[in-house]
Amino acid sequence: MARRFRGYEITNEMLGQGGMAFIYKGVQTALNRPVAVKMLNPALGLNERFIVRFEREARSQAQLHHPNVVAVFDYGREDDTYYIVMELVEGSDLKSLFSTHKKLPLEISLIILEQIAIGLEAAHALNIVHRDLKPSNILLSKVGDVKIADFGLAMDSRDREEMSAEAITMPGTVIGTLAYMSPEQHEGKRVDARADQFALGIMAYELLTGERPFMGTESEVRERTLRAQPAPIPDRCPLATPEIEEFVYRLLAKHPEERYASMRDVVMAIRDSLESIDPTGTLMKYRQEHLREFMLDAKAVTKNLKERSIEGHFEKGMSLVREPGRTAEAIRELRYVLILDPGNKEAKAKLSELEKQDHTQVVEPKAADAPRLDYSSRRESYTPRPGSGVRPPSGPVASSKSGPNWKLFAMIGIPVVVLAVLAAVILPRLGGSSQAEVFVSTPQEAVQVEVRQAGASAWTAAGSARGLLNQPLDAGSWEIRLRKEGCRDSAMGGGAR
């Protein structure tokens, strides 16, 4: 029997329930607008602690007028019932999607993650930390919108006294959903926005591989979250690129300071990852349409994306064949085709021809090969920062030749060493800046290497150029980014930003 109060009609259709509340479908009668009405469990209605938490959820969520956050329309009390009136999202949640699709297409997974990260960026801009990010709190509409829900455990990151004796959570109390909690949450420490990054990393790993990185009993999950390494992503997601591995491993860093500085950086890393799997250059442009179509017909979109990817990588590989000095890249593209379509005769024949020309043995594509596909001039593998507690991806780097290339090493290494000496000995006196750029000429192309270290002068940073020869940098808080640039030999300090 429908219930009416304060301009709303609540049906008996339950949309969901949790430990604190029940959610029903309803209608705002004055506007004839469908709504979702969340009601605090009557058993908790006399507990001030839960009433405060429920009200905080309404207030936090109501501040966020953003397409990637479920909108809140109203909050109040009717008799002994506390309620929140929210936007009704017709569709599914991410948890339900996992139950019907153990693994989503790589493109769809990244598009969903980007939308979640954008919503979190909006929340963090208002100093709101979600603290309970998980698949059941991510809603996907039938038209392809991704929305974050349930801010019941949200906190204001500016309020350092929030964990007081009268607050909802006491110091040392573990709060959140066990499987998606950050190490600092497991240890009952104070948290900030970077705890949401870790939860996003858990969901990213789950989307890409079909399972969470830390499984087991409650005690095992806690122990593994604090100390264990996730299984290498390539073992379970052979199509993941280095860009994808890098952003997921960094989100899952054990220490908050080893994660991204902000959710804006996470959004950009996800977009880099999208571009790395997009040989046609159209995925970014039409990603919202792809997600909308996937929600309507997942099977057809999955098939279409796979066919487009096979065609795109094959065409890119054949195009690279015609460019001098890019045989290795062409080989990698064709190997990618064969991972997607092992029976592709054209790709297999061309790959065999190229590998013979390159004096290499023809091998069948393996899962470990795919993550090493190089879509840019960036480093081919990700080396976690010291103390991050993250294991780098294992397996060989895709290469057309075996053994060290001493000629190339000498041609690159000598200029780098010279630049390092100049930077470390002659130029430190210049100081006063926070970044450095080093350009090194190579026989084929040049890469621009941007090295940053908080609180260090540009030339001190440049002095660590020796670490660019695929060696891990031994300083803390480093960020390395490589991009293709024109050839020139120079070392120069950028102004502080």
Side-chain angles (χ1 to χ4, degrees):
M1 183 176 178
R3 177 182 178 185
R4 297 173 180 269
F5 66 86
R6 295 180 180 269
Y8 301 101
E9 182 176 304
I10 314 303
T11 70
N12 291 325
E13 182 180 348
M14 185 179 289
L15 301 174
Q17 68 179 87
M20 279 182 58
F22 305 96
I23 304 176
Y24 293 92
K25 188 173 183 178
V27 176
Q28 185 178 11
T29 55
L31 300 176
N32 195 30
R33 174 168 62 177
V35 294
V37 182
K38 187 172 186 176
M39 296 183 172
L40 184 65
N41 189 328
L44 304 176
L46 298 177
N47 189 318
E48 187 65 24
R49 201 173 142 207
F50 289 100
I51 294 172
V52 171
R53 179 182 294 178
F54 197 65
E55 181 178 358
R56 171 172 294 168
E57 173 181 358
R59 292 184 182 279
S60 296
Q61 208 164 324
Q63 294 180 57
L64 291 163
H65 304 285
H66 193 276
N68 293 119
V69 177
V70 175
V72 166
F73 302 140
D74 195 7
Y75 166 79
R77 175 183 175 182
E78 178 69 13
D79 297 328
D80 293 328
T81 302
Y82 291 86
Y83 63 89
I84 301 173
V85 181
M86 304 177 294
E87 167 189 11
L88 177 65
V89 180
E90 298 276 9
S92 176
D93 61 42
L94 196 53
K95 183 178 180 181
S96 300
L97 209 60
F98 282 149
S99 65
T100 55
H101 307 276
K102 184 170 178 59
K103 284 179 66 174
L104 304 180
L106 189 56
E107 298 90 341
I108 297 299
S109 296
L110 291 174
I111 292 168
I112 291 173
L113 288 168
E114 182 198 18
Q115 296 301 301
I116 298 171
I118 291 172
L120 288 172
E121 181 186 13
H124 294 173
L126 294 176
N127 302 293
I128 298 171
V129 182
H130 192 285
R131 295 201 300 176
D132 195 25
L133 208 62
K134 56 186 176 182
S136 60
N137 287 340
I138 303 300
L139 307 183
L140 296 95
S141 75
K142 292 179 180 178
V143 295
D145 296 322
V146 180
K147 294 178 179 286
I148 304 171
D150 197 348
F151 282 71
L153 300 183
M155 60 170 281
D156 188 326
S157 60
R158 296 169 299 182
D159 189 355
R160 305 313 300 168
E161 300 302 321
E162 188 165 340
M163 302 286 190
S164 66
E166 286 143 5
I168 293 170
T169 10
M170 298 290 291
T173 298
V174 173
I175 187 166
T177 300
L178 191 75
Y180 298 89
M181 285 164 50
S182 64
E184 56 268 31
Q185 285 175 287
H186 276 286
E187 294 179 326
K189 297 179 179 178
R190 297 182 189 274
V191 302
D192 58 23
R194 292 170 294 185
D196 287 346
Q197 288 190 30
F198 192 90
L200 183 65
I202 297 284
M203 288 197 293
Y205 191 98
E206 191 171 5
L207 277 165
L208 297 172
T209 68
E211 61 183 49
R212 296 192 302 273
F214 310 113
M215 305 284 286
T217 64
E218 288 189 3
S219 60
E220 288 172 339
V221 169
R222 181 180 186 278
E223 182 66 19
R224 289 166 183 169
T225 301
L226 291 172
R227 295 174 180 84
Q229 309 301 338
I233 293 173
D235 291 356
R236 293 170 171 80
C237 182
L239 301 179
T241 61
E243 288 83 356
I244 293 173
E245 288 184 76
E246 178 176 350
F247 101 81
V248 176
Y249 283 128
R250 189 163 174 185
L251 289 176
L252 291 175
K254 302 297 184 187
H255 305 294
E257 60 270 18
E258 296 297 332
R259 299 172 206 151
Y260 289 94
S262 70
M263 198 56 69
R264 169 47 37 179
D265 293 334
V266 176
V267 171
M268 298 310 296
I270 295 173
R271 288 175 179 171
D272 285 346
S273 297
L274 277 165
E275 291 178 351
S276 76
I277 61 168
D278 181 23
T280 65
T282 60
L283 179 60
M284 284 290 292
K285 183 177 180 180
Y286 299 108
R287 59 192 185 281
Q288 192 64 36
E289 288 83 351
H290 288 317
L291 184 55
R292 182 182 301 114
E293 291 168 3
F294 180 83
M295 294 302 295
L296 296 173
D297 190 344
K299 186 176 181 180
V301 171
T302 299
K303 180 181 178 182
N304 180 52
L305 286 173
K306 181 178 179 180
E307 290 174 349
R308 285 165 52 97
S309 186
I310 291 171
E311 181 182 358
H313 285 292
F314 183 78
E315 290 180 356
K316 184 175 181 180
M318 297 304 290
S319 174
L320 290 169
V321 167
R322 296 188 288 270
E323 299 183 31
R326 306 195 70 176
T327 301
E329 294 175 71
I331 288 174
R332 286 192 284 269
E333 291 295 324
L334 294 174
R335 283 178 174 168
Y336 209 156
V337 172
L338 292 179
I339 290 170
L340 290 164
D341 181 16
N344 192 303
K345 294 181 180 180
E346 287 185 275
K348 190 174 290 188
K350 192 62 181 179
L351 178 63
S352 175
E353 176 188 336
L354 291 175
E355 288 182 323
K356 286 177 181 177
Q357 291 175 2
D358 211 38
H359 307 291
T360 59
Q361 183 179 359
V362 177
V363 295
E364 292 297 321
K366 299 179 181 179
D369 292 336
R372 301 292 173 251
L373 300 175
D374 187 16
Y375 289 84
S376 68
S377 60
R378 300 181 181 187
R379 290 172 65 176
E380 292 181 300
S381 62
Y382 168 56
T383 302
R385 298 178 182 185
S388 66
V390 176
R391 178 173 56 195
S394 59
V397 174
S399 175
S400 60
K401 297 182 181 181
S402 60
N405 188 332
W406 295 109
K407 182 178 179 180
L408 183 60
F409 180 87
M411 296 183 73
I412 298 178
I414 292 173
V416 169
V417 171
V418 171
L419 291 173
V421 171
L422 283 172
V425 178
I426 301 174
L427 301 170
R429 68 190 65 182
L430 296 178
S433 67
S434 59
Q435 74 176 60
E437 296 181 334
V438 180
F439 293 86
V440 181
S441 291
T442 67
Q444 299 175 346
E445 61 181 358
V447 293
Q448 175 189 350
V449 181
E450 183 180 29
V451 185
R452 301 178 185 171
Q453 184 183 32
S457 71
W459 296 112
T460 301
S464 296
R466 59 183 176 78
L468 302 176
L469 296 176
N470 277 334
Q471 301 176 23
L473 295 169
D474 53 5
S477 301
W478 287 95
E479 182 178 16
I480 305 173
R481 183 175 303 155
L482 284 73
R483 297 190 300 269
K484 289 183 180 178
E485 293 288 345
C487 292
R488 55 182 169 135
D489 294 319
S490 67
M492 56 188 178
R497 289 201 251 184

